[in-house]
């Protein structure tokens, strides 16, 4: 699903760029020939902008002279800035997808093992009353026993809230409660109901996973079941001690009362009772057995034999059952069997043909998913002995795989860009000069995310990939026009001092237009804004910082790298 998503995204971007190129080469020149009018005098806003651009050009020309004279100082400052910007990376939360206020969430309710369906239903009714007390509450859907009806001690509650703008303001603070705050309230109140364990799940954090959808999800696998249970309990206990996790839970449920009937073969033989007769009697009387069918009103119905509910609820009731022996006599089960009651598992799970216990949790409030996964892995490595292992699944697995794929896509994009630029410039040095803008775009993106408090997720990574294509344009403008000046006979230094100030205006225009286009999604307030804001923030920060540094670092690098050129293909450097 992730691959398909990014493939479609790449196709869309490629088509958009191709169409914009076609428009720039055909329709734009046509419109200029008909409507462009270069005025000699400027008034109003146009005059103010023109004066500002002319002033910026003069200031930039003076600063450029200083940078070319101290190019190694420029390199040192830029490297230090890039390294310091990477120091902000640990402060940025890393997660698969950001939490969204979708005005809905899921609550999983559990009662003690062995609880009846009626007991679980009564506890669910208490939970429903608490849910309806909040003024933000809109409606709910509850299911007891699971969708299949077999999980008698569990239930699910889907709660739908009012839209954020329709929620009443808190009388004390005057603010509207967010979904995260409401979920925290319900988490606390639901768990105060006797015999109830409630786990709240934010459905927006499921991402593209097909499992339970918790941001922290993994299985513990090993050969011995009893040892596996012991290790899983230790891992859960350690996770609950850390503030990186909340709602720690597992799919392993022990303590389910189980009745085991052991036939006494000597007594059964003495009374002429077969083991098959004992099993058939228990199966028919307790579980029920179809013995016939009948037809009524054109429909066929099963006829089942089963002991009434009141006479099969206790272990003593089984001993009261009777079976036929081989002589046609009725014998009590208590005379040929013994019954033991032991705690057992509600369900046994396997993954990849291995015994497995699933553990899942939510991320602690305001914490990073990457830090939580790392902590869970450290806990497991410290506890699990040889022969037992941790395997991430669901959203946790998708998070790791997607980030690895995106990082690979970034490097692949750089390699492809270098190859294309090398073919266009017919040179190996100029593409390196152009690509110097890329590290500063990452610096700007990381700093903007750290200062704004947003996370590094799939959508902000898309913004980084977009930056790879956007910020190279400024470097290309400087390098290409400088090459044109050198072809006219200017030296390297004179070409830079001539070309760079002239190209300042288009660089500022492209930068401002890009930032202006990213501001609306950065200020988005509607549904799904949490996914658009990080991408827009990373684009704004990356474009701003890379533009400022590109204007000085790229000319200095061009001058420094010019000594590696073949002098027969270029005029002598005018340093």
């Amino acid at each position: 699903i992730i691959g398909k998503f990014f493939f479609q995204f790449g196709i869309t971007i490629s088509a958009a760029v191709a169409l914009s190129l076609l428009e720039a080469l055909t329709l734009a020149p046509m419109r200029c020939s008909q409507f462009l009018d270069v005025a000699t005098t400027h008034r109003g806003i146009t005059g103010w902008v023109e004066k500002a651009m002319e002033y910026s050009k003069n200031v930039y020309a003076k600063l450029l002279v200083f940078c070319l004279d101290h190019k190694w100082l420029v390199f040192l400052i830029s490297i230090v800035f890039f390294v310091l910007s990477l120091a902000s990376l640990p402060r940025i939360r890393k997660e698969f997808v950001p939490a969204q206020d979708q005005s809905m969430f899921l609550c999983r309710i559990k009662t003690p093992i062995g609880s009846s369906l009626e007991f679980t239903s009564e506890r669910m009714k208490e939970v429903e009353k608490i849910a309806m007390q909040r003024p933000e509450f809109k409606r709910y859907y509850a299911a007891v026993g699971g969708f299949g009806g077999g999980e008698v001690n569990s239930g699910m509650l889907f709660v739908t809230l009012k839209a954020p703008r329709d929620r009443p303001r808190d009388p004390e603070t005057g603010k509207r409660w967010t979904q995260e705050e409401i979920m925290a309230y319900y988490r606390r109140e639901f768990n105060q109901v006797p015999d109830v364990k409630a786990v709240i799940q934010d459905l927006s954090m499921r991402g593209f996973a097909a499992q339970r959808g918790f941001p922290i999800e993994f299985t513990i696998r090993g050969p011995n079941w009893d040892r596996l249970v012991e290790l899983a309990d230790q891992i859960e206990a350690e996770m609950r001690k850390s503030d990186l996790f909340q709602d720690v839970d597992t799919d392993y449920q022990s303590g389910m009362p189980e009745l085991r009937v052991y036939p006494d073969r000597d007594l059964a033989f003495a009374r002429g009772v077969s083991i098959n007769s004992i099993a058939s009697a228990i199966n028919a009387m307790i579980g029920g057995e179809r013995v016939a069918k009948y037809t009524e009103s054109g429909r066929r119905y099963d006829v089942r034999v089963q002991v009434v509910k009141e006479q099969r609820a206790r272990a003593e009731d089984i001993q009261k059952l009777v079976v036929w022996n081989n002589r046609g006599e009725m014998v009590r089960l208590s005379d040929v069997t013994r019954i033991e009651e032991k705690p057992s598992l509600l369900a046994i799970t396997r993954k990849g043909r291995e015994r497995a216990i699933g553990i899942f949790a939510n991320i602690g409030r305001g914490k990073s998913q990457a830090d939580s996964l790392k902590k869970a892995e450290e806990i497991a490595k410290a506890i699990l002995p040889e022969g037992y292992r941790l395997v991430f699944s669901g959203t946790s697995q998708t998070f790791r795989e997607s980030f690895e794929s995106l990082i690979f896509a970034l490097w692949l994009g750089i390699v492809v860009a270098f190859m294309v630029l090398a073919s266009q410039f017919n040179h190996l040095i100029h593409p390196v000069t152009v690509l110097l803008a890329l590290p500063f775009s990452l610096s700007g993106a990381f700093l903007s995310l750290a200062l704004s408090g947003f996370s590094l997720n799939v959508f902000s990574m898309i913004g980084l990939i977009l930056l790879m294509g956007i910020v190279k344009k400024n470097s290309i403008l400087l390098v290409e026009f400088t090459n044109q000046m050198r072809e006219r006979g200017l030296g390297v230094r004179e070409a830079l001092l001539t070309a760079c100030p002239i190209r300042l205006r288009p660089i500022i225009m492209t930068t401002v237009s890009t930032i202006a286009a990213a501001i609306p999604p950065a200020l988005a307030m509607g549904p799904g804004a949490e996914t658009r804001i990080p991408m827009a923030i990373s684009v704004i920060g990356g474009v701003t910082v890379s533009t400022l540094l590109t204007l000085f670092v790229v000319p200095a690098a061009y001058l420094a790298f010019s000594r590696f050129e073949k002098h027969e293909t270029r005029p002598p450097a005018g340093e």
Side-chain angles (χ1 to χ4, degrees):
I1 296 176
I2 291 289
K4 183 178 180 181
F5 170 76
F6 285 109
F7 176 77
Q8 294 176 346
F9 173 78
I11 292 295
T12 303
I13 294 296
S14 301
V17 173
L19 291 176
S20 65
L21 175 63
L22 179 63
E23 191 275 341
L25 296 176
T26 56
L27 298 180
M30 181 272 293
R31 291 196 302 271
C32 289
S33 65
Q34 298 297 320
F35 305 112
L36 183 61
D37 182 17
V38 180
T40 55
T41 59
H42 303 280
R43 299 178 181 178
I45 297 179
T46 304
W48 181 83
V49 171
E50 189 66 25
K51 291 180 181 179
M53 293 298 300
E54 191 64 27
Y55 177 78
S56 300
K57 179 180 177 181
N58 296 332
V59 172
Y60 173 60
K62 296 178 181 178
L63 293 176
L64 183 60
V65 173
F66 175 83
C67 292
L68 295 181
D69 291 336
H70 304 83
K71 52 181 177 296
W72 299 112
L73 178 62
V74 173
F75 294 155
L76 177 62
I77 294 176
S78 61
I79 293 173
V80 171
F81 175 80
F82 177 69
V83 173
L84 291 178
S85 67
L86 295 181
S88 65
L89 194 57
R91 298 180 53 189
I92 303 174
R93 292 182 295 109
K94 303 171 189 66
E95 55 191 0
F96 182 45
V97 291
Q100 304 175 50
D101 194 335
Q102 295 181 335
S103 299
M104 65 174 67
F105 63 88
L106 169 64
C107 180
R108 300 177 185 270
I109 303 295
K110 287 185 180 180
T111 54
I113 298 293
S115 301
S116 64
L117 193 64
E118 292 78 6
F119 179 84
T120 305
S121 179
E122 291 300 321
R123 290 294 180 266
M124 179 65 80
K125 291 178 181 178
E126 296 183 31
V127 172
E128 293 169 8
K129 291 180 181 178
I130 297 175
M132 291 186 289
Q133 291 175 358
R134 289 296 309 177
E136 298 87 0
F137 173 83
K138 186 176 182 180
R139 61 177 177 268
Y140 74 93
Y141 168 79
V144 179
F147 289 112
E151 302 176 6
V152 295
N153 72 314
S154 66
M156 293 178 289
L157 183 70
F158 291 88
V159 178
T160 302
L161 307 173
K162 296 178 182 177
R165 63 178 180 276
D166 297 330
R167 297 171 192 168
R169 296 184 180 274
D170 187 279
E172 297 181 359
T173 62
K175 298 181 180 179
R176 293 185 174 91
W177 281 38
T178 63
Q179 177 178 310
E180 186 178 15
E181 294 171 336
I182 298 172
M183 289 169 55
Y185 169 83
Y186 280 136
R187 179 181 291 110
R188 182 179 64 253
E189 296 298 321
F190 288 168
N191 281 290
Q192 291 181 1
V193 178
D195 299 319
V196 166
K197 179 180 180 180
V199 175
I200 305 292
Q201 182 178 359
D202 186 352
L203 299 177
S204 68
M205 297 290 289
R206 297 187 63 176
F208 303 99
Q211 303 293 325
R212 287 178 177 266
F214 284 88
I216 308 298
E217 189 171 347
F218 58 89
T219 56
I220 305 298
R221 305 182 186 183
N224 185 279
W225 186 259
D226 294 332
R227 181 61 171 158
L228 200 62
V229 171
E230 180 183 346
L231 296 173
D233 291 338
Q234 295 179 21
I235 292 175
E236 284 187 71
E238 291 298 321
M239 290 177 64
R240 290 191 177 97
K241 294 178 183 178
S242 174
D243 60 351
L244 292 173
F245 311 97
Q246 60 181 354
D247 296 328
V248 181
D249 202 359
T250 179
D251 59 4
Y252 163 77
Q253 300 183 55
S254 63
M256 182 69 178
E258 181 181 73
L259 293 178
R260 298 184 180 182
V261 181
Y262 295 94
D264 189 320
R265 294 182 180 273
D266 294 335
L267 294 176
F269 177 78
R271 289 170 171 76
V273 178
S274 67
I275 304 300
N276 184 57
S277 299
I278 296 174
S280 298
I282 295 175
N283 180 60
M285 298 297 100
I286 304 301
E289 184 173 343
R290 189 179 65 185
V291 296
K293 286 180 175 287
Y294 75 94
T295 303
E296 181 180 345
S297 302
R299 298 180 66 89
R300 291 180 62 82
Y301 299 91
D302 292 336
V303 178
R304 289 185 173 272
V305 175
Q306 188 180 36
V307 177
V308 295
K309 182 178 180 181
E310 292 76 13
Q311 298 178 8
R312 56 182 170 87
R314 298 170 299 175
E316 299 82 25
D317 296 333
I318 297 179
Q319 295 180 328
K320 295 177 181 179
L321 298 177
V322 294
V323 296
W324 294 95
N325 64 6
N326 55 7
R327 296 186 292 272
E329 300 171 344
M330 301 183 68
V331 180
R332 281 183 175 272
L333 277 180
S334 59
D335 295 334
V336 294
T337 62
R338 60 184 176 86
I339 297 179
E340 294 182 3
E341 182 176 341
K342 294 183 178 181
S344 181
L345 302 176
L346 186 62
I348 296 178
T349 58
R350 286 181 171 85
K351 300 288 186 180
R353 302 180 68 181
E354 292 182 286
R355 294 178 176 89
I357 293 179
I359 299 176
F360 45 90
N362 284 316
I363 305 171
R365 191 170 182 179
K367 302 300 181 179
S368 169
Q369 184 178 5
D371 294 341
S372 301
L373 292 175
K374 183 179 180 181
K375 181 65 175 179
E377 193 170 21
E378 292 175 353
I379 293 174
K381 286 184 178 180
I383 294 176
L384 295 179
E386 185 178 356
Y388 295 82
R389 61 195 181 100
L390 175 145
V391 179
F392 285 106
S393 59
T395 306
S396 301
Q397 180 184 11
T398 309
F399 166 75
R400 290 194 162 193
E401 292 177 351
S402 62
F403 265 63
E404 290 175 359
S405 299
L406 286 170
I407 293 174
F408 173 76
L410 285 176
W411 285 109
L412 182 62
I414 294 174
V415 172
V416 172
F418 178 85
M419 295 170 61
V420 173
L421 291 172
S423 64
Q424 293 295 311
F425 284 110
N426 194 23
H427 207 282
L428 295 178
I429 299 298
H430 295 329
V432 176
T433 307
V434 171
L435 295 178
L436 285 177
L438 300 185
F440 306 124
S441 67
L442 298 179
S443 299
F446 293 155
L447 289 174
S448 60
L449 291 173
L451 294 175
S452 60
F454 290 100
S455 64
L456 183 63
N457 51 64
V458 171
F459 301 100
S460 52
M461 287 292 288
I462 292 176
L464 296 182
I465 295 177
L466 291 175
L467 284 173
M468 298 295 101
I470 295 174
V471 301
K472 291 195 296 289
K473 291 184 176 181
N474 296 336
S475 300
I476 293 173
L477 288 173
L478 294 176
V479 173
E480 175 62 23
F481 198 52
T482 301
N483 289 341
Q484 293 181 18
M485 295 295 102
R486 294 180 64 186
E487 290 173 357
R488 297 177 184 178
L490 296 180
V492 177
R493 183 184 179 87
E494 288 75 13
L496 288 170
L497 293 175
T498 302
C500 293
I502 295 177
R503 280 292 178 257
L504 178 64
R505 180 188 293 266
I507 289 176
I508 292 179
M509 290 172 61
T510 55
T511 300
V512 171
S513 61
T514 301
I515 294 175
I519 287 178
L523 300 176
M525 302 295 290
E530 296 88 349
T531 62
R532 299 190 295 271
I533 293 176
M535 180 172 60
I537 290 294
S538 61
V539 170
I540 292 174
V543 170
T544 302
V545 173
S546 66
T547 299
L548 292 176
L549 293 178
T550 296
L551 291 173
F552 302 103
V553 176
V554 169
Y558 189 102
L559 183 61
F561 293 159
S562 63
R563 66 183 62 186
F564 301 108
E565 299 178 8
K566 293 182 179 180
H567 296 287
E568 65 269 20
T569 60
R570 293 287 183 185
E575 296 185 38

